[in-house]
Amino acid sequence: MTKPLVVFKNVQKLFGDFVAVKAINLEIHEGEFLAIMGPSGCGKTTTLRMLAGLEEPSTGKIYMNDQVMNKVKPHERDTPLVWQSLALFPFLTVIENVEFGLKMRGIDKSERKRRALEWLEKLDIIDFSERDISTLSGGQKQRVALARSLVLEPKILLLDEPLSALDAHLVIRMQAVLVQLQRELGITFVYVTHSQSEAFAMADRVVIMGNGEISQVGTPKDIYRSPQNKFVAEFVGRNNILSGTVFSLTNLGAHIETASGTFSVNLKTNKLVKGQKASFVISADLVHLSRSNPEAQNSVHCKLISEEFVGSMVTLFLEDNSNQEFKVQMQERELSKFDLKPDSDIWLSWSAQSAHLLDVS
Amino acid sequence: MPIKKSRKIDIYAMTWRLPIIIWQLLFFVGPVIFMIAMSFFLVKNYRMMEAFEFINWSKMFSKNYFWDSYFYTITIASISTILAMVLAFPASFALAFKASEQMRRWAIFLLIIPFFTSYLVRTFSWFVILSEKGVVNALLGYIGLGPFTMLNTNFGTLVGYLTLTLPLVVILQTVTMANIDRTLIEAARNLGCKPLSTIWKVIIPLSKTGLIVAAIFCFILSFGDFVAPFYLGGSQEPTLPILILDTTKSGQQWPRAAVVAIVMMITLFSVAFIGIALAYRKKASK
């Protein structure tokens, strides 16, 4: 890995008594697509705003290319931001919006126009260059906002939930546009979102934030398969979280006793003591269904409560007799074999490798 | 059935609209029509006679003092407008962007207070401040300056106009700028705009409509004001409102005063119309 472009060192941000961001440490590498994800109020936008210089860290330091950025004013930075509201200037035309940043940098008129047109062309909105912003559709505005930032040829592009106002089908299309742009330009994207699907679909690495802290940093797969703690597991969703106490330990794994039964879990790095409280997760898509008792090590007898279709995927919501909720995710065509109805009896099972132990917190 | 329903709504709406329509007809449209008619009347032996003659119009338009007064009024009202807009801007800017929400509310409340008192009273209080032996000259005297003649000058007139217009202009500017989407200012900063440049590049374009409306108000109030040029300006160069007074006094020339009044109205209508058109002008979409 190359040396980091941006480093957050114990960066904390207070608004009065409220701690928006709690002493975070984070490295952002050159050319990566980093998503910062978390529920609203988790400090993700504040983190992004500090990177743009719109907020100054209360304590700690932010480095960019080894330089301390804390006191550098927003207009002296090269950190264009794509806003959630897009923040296009309504009194300027499309091309004037795109030229704005170049004009501020004192680039002459013909050069400005040339570069702006180049980007309008690249983002497929050249036909609208003389139009008023208010006459554009949501998707077109999105592209203008991107062009306005990218025309500055920055090393790093900041994006604050830019797709949240778009229709679902446009979101998918813009995701593809963003990923392609990022690969092509090779610049760093820092993408703030509350949407897991956006973050997982696009990012090389995902930062999960909660209550002003970083809960986990990792690839989408890491975060999905091995959430480090309960917060991440719950936030990522579609996880079965079971809590109990350590019943016995072997050199390969542990047996954990819960209200739903005793289950075996493989140990990776976690150190456990017998009798200690422990939680583990099983991703909903790693749980198997069977009509009869599978006689496997990790199995639970459940009743079907409800199901939810999302395209070809189905999520089943089930409950065992201790009222523990389970979720199972599978292909719709696989499910049809089982012929399930509400209140149907069914067995769930999973392998010990699929169960992932959470950090005690 | 839907026809009946819509008629019912019409009657309901009309009932509420009626008072204002009657009021406007009785006290605005009626008098204006009468004034237009009066501008064609004749005055003989100090008595007005119904007639339809263009003599009042041709007499007034051929007099230099009418045109002098007209251009003087436009000039000084324009200067007053520019001064008010410029003087109010820093205060409005601070109230809109630097003050807290609560402080802004208090400031707007305090700016409304001057309207509680009579404009005439406020004008007279300037005598104490601006006269030859007034407060300002006394203070300037301590540092060896003056005394300056401030009453009965253009300066006096402008002070009077601003007394009338400045609080209103500050209120209108403040409310307009306070409603700007702050994200747009941050976006400009993010794209490399220096803090002060955001005023020209973002804040003024975004508040254009409100600023033009404030300027129109200021111009209309100054252009039609009688009190400031009469008491503080000493009516040395008469503005059109003073000309109206003089014309009615000298030889009962009400018809000629009507001519002046109509010219004023047309001027103000044009200014307001052009101003509003500018304020709401949209770029032509291609």
Side-chain angles (χ1 to χ4, degrees), chain B residues 31-72:
Chain B
V32 166
I33 291 170
F34 179 68
M35 187 174 71
I36 293 168
M38 194 168 73
S39 72
F40 300 102
F41 289 1
L42 292 176
V43 175
K44 281 199 175 133
N45 297 326
Y46 303 104
R47 296 185 70 171
M48 202 154 55
M49 286 166 50
E50 280 176 40
F52 190 75
E53 299 283 348
F54 286 89
I55 181 123
N56 301 311
W57 289 87
S58 57
K59 274 267 159 66
M60 277 324 272
F61 282 5
S62 65
K63 295 280 195 289
N64 279 335
Y65 68 78
F66 169 75
W67 292 111
D68 288 348
S69 172
Y70 186 49
F71 290 117
Y72 172 69

Side-chain angles (χ1 to χ4, degrees), chain A residues 49 75 79 81 91 105, chain B residues 186 189-191 201 283:
Chain A
R49 288 173 60 83
H75 66 273
T79 52
L81 200 151
F91 48 88
R105 283 164 176 71
Chain B
E186 287 189 334
R189 301 270 281 119
N190 178 253
L191 291 167
K201 296 290 176 191
K283 282 201 194 81

Side-chain angles (χ1 to χ4, degrees), chain B residues 117-128 163 227:
Chain B
T117 60
S118 157
Y119 170 45
L120 202 59
V121 172
R122 279 181 283 149
T123 304
F124 278 125
S125 65
W126 278 112
F127 282 128
V128 183
T163 308
V227 174

Side-chain angles (χ1 to χ4, degrees), chain A residues 5-13 21-28 47 50-51 55-72 77:
Chain A
L5 178 68
V6 176
V7 178
F8 281 77
K9 213 163 196 180
N10 292 319
V11 172
Q12 178 159 290
K13 178 66 189 178
V21 174
K22 287 176 200 162
I24 58 165
N25 287 290
L26 178 66
E27 290 187 353
I28 303 173
T47 305
M50 286 194 282
L51 203 46
E55 307 287 353
E56 199 187 311
S58 305
T59 55
K61 287 194 170 86
I62 298 176
Y63 298 86
M64 208 175 281
N65 287 321
D66 296 329
Q67 275 179 309
V68 181
M69 297 299 281
N70 289 33
K71 294 278 176 197
V72 180
R77 302 185 182 215

